[in-house]
Amino acid sequence: MKNIKFSKVGKNVFLISWIIGTLILLAYCITKSWFFVWLGFYYVVVAFIVNMIVFFSELLTFITEVADKKPHGNSAMLLLLNIPVTILYISIVLNR
């Protein structure tokens, strides 16, 4: 089985978004502080904008680049994985 290749930017943006979001959720679950709810809300807005910019950049590169475009398509799909993770995290906060 081949290793799945991702572009460096797409993979890093995904990982940073996921780690920061998870840390904010864990901080909220531990402290139950509304500060982390508001921080999480503003973080989701900023992360959405950044992820969409990188997603469309990866998608555009995937469509226009002739050689070795698979990592960019994989990274675009990886960035889309942040959507269900965000929905899960929001549902956790709203159900507490």
Side-chain angles (χ1 to χ4, degrees):
M1 181 181 270
K2 288 185 175 181
N3 289 339
I4 299 174
K5 294 182 181 180
F6 300 100
S7 73
K8 192 171 192 162
V9 172
K11 183 174 78 172
N12 288 340
V13 168
F14 167 78
L15 287 173
I16 290 168
S17 295
W18 182 78
I19 290 169
I20 293 173
T22 301
L23 290 175
I24 292 171
L25 176 68
L26 289 174
Y28 167 73
C29 289
I30 292 169
T31 65
K32 304 289 190 251
S33 172
W34 277 94
F35 169 77
F36 291 110
V37 173
W38 285 109
L39 179 65
F41 171 75
Y42 289 117
Y43 172 72
V44 166
V45 171
V46 170
F48 175 79
I49 293 168
V50 171
N51 276 282
M52 284 296 106
I53 290 170
V54 174
F55 170 76
F56 285 118
S57 171
E58 293 289 337
L59 191 62
L60 185 63
T61 304
F62 175 72
I63 291 170
T64 58
E65 192 174 294
V66 177
D68 197 33
K69 61 184 181 176
K70 190 153 183 132
H72 297 287
N74 290 339
S75 294
M77 297 300 289
L78 185 65
L79 287 166
L80 289 177
L81 187 60
N82 275 328
I83 296 169
V85 170
T86 302
I87 292 169
L88 174 68
Y89 287 6
I90 290 171
S91 69
I92 290 171
V93 170
L94 293 178
N95 289 325
R96 288 199 165 243

